[in-house]
Amino acid sequence: MCGRFAFYSAREAMPALFGVDDGAAVAPRYNIAPTQHAAVVRLDAEGHRQAAMLRWGLVPFWAKDMKIGNRLINARVETAAEKPAFRAAWSRRRCLVPADGFYEWRSAAGGKTPWFISASNGEPFAMAGLWERWTSEGGTEEPVETFTILTTEAREPMSRLHDRMPVILGVDRSAAWLAGEAPAGTGSLADPSLRLRAWPVSRRVNSPRNEDPSLVEPAADERLDESTGGSG
């Protein structure tokens, strides 16, 4: 799954990798949590890419209140096209969720230890997302735009931490995803060339109130690296 992530390279990455010029307006983030706002990239009415700040936790347009979004931070790629909460967004409202990495927790002596997972080359990447626009009953409140992150079966080294991971897209697949071309319920979305690495980090990341670069710094010498398939 994906319950926390970081995106701290927006200034450079938004124009260079994601095709939008709004990078300077996106503050570096090291501990993005559900219900918080984060940057996504989507297509406008003319088919041009645009950056937007959306609330994490998808609220379907038909929901009676926003609380449902607290449970819909992730959507399984295998079933999202058919699920009532996601199928409309799958068809018409897709987005990219830029990230430098994401966190997962591993059981260890003394409690669960958070790990930070990033690309082996250190570059940011796009996670596949869906977004929605929700209006309160009677339209008495301002519309709220929300998003969810698609997940797929975990691969190495992520599979040693959790059985699910975000769908990470390459440049070509990002364009196809936004254009609505990617087939539903398949594993062909994820970028097969991307290599991952992971290391344990401070438990300070457990609190969303903590927000600084030290959160992604290694807390121990242990490593998981897809390129070697090993640890240490």
Side-chain angles (χ1 to χ4, degrees), residues 67-100:
K67 292 180 181 178
I68 190 174
N70 298 340
R71 298 185 286 107
L72 300 179
I73 64 171
N74 293 155
R76 297 175 70 94
V77 69
E78 298 90 346
T79 59
E82 290 81 36
K83 292 288 186 181
F86 305 121
R87 61 191 178 199
W90 179 282
S91 299
R92 299 187 293 276
R93 287 178 289 278
R94 298 181 176 187
C95 64
L96 308 177
V97 183
D100 285 282

Side-chain angles (χ1 to χ4, degrees), residues 141-155:
E141 301 176 23
E142 287 292 321
V144 178
E145 293 183 333
T146 61
F147 74 95
T148 190
I149 296 171
L150 289 172
T151 67
T152 187
E153 184 178 350
R155 68 190 197 200

Side-chain angles (χ1 to χ4, degrees), residues 9-109:
S9 63
R11 182 181 295 273
E12 302 81 13
M14 292 296 268
L17 296 180
F18 303 111
V20 294
D21 297 325
D22 302 51
V26 180
R29 293 292 310 280
Y30 296 88
N31 196 8
I32 302 170
T35 75
Q36 295 181 351
H37 283 71
V40 306
V41 176
R42 59 186 179 183
L43 299 182
D44 62 19
E46 287 73 42
H48 302 131
R49 292 190 179 193
Q50 65 171 197
M53 297 297 293
L54 274 56
R55 187 180 189 270
W56 186 11
L58 188 140
V59 180
F61 68 89
W62 43 258
K64 292 185 178 180
D65 61 56
M66 292 185 58
K67 292 180 181 178
I68 190 174
N70 298 340
R71 298 185 286 107
L72 300 179
I73 64 171
N74 293 155
R76 297 175 70 94
V77 69
E78 298 90 346
T79 59
E82 290 81 36
K83 292 288 186 181
F86 305 121
R87 61 191 178 199
W90 179 282
S91 299
R92 299 187 293 276
R93 287 178 289 278
R94 298 181 176 187
C95 64
L96 308 177
V97 183
D100 285 282
F102 57 97
Y103 298 94
E104 191 52 70
W105 279 256
R106 185 187 201 184
S107 296

Side-chain angles (χ1 to χ4, degrees), residues 165-187:
M165 63 176 284
V167 173
I168 300 175
L169 304 169
V171 175
D172 293 341
R173 285 175 170 83
S174 293
W177 172 248
L178 286 177
E181 299 172 5
T186 73

Side-chain angles (χ1 to χ4, degrees), residues 106-129:
R106 185 187 201 184
S107 296
K112 291 186 176 181
T113 299
W115 286 64
F116 187 66
I117 301 96
S118 71
S120 291
N121 60 12
E123 294 184 357
F125 50 81
M127 301 182 289

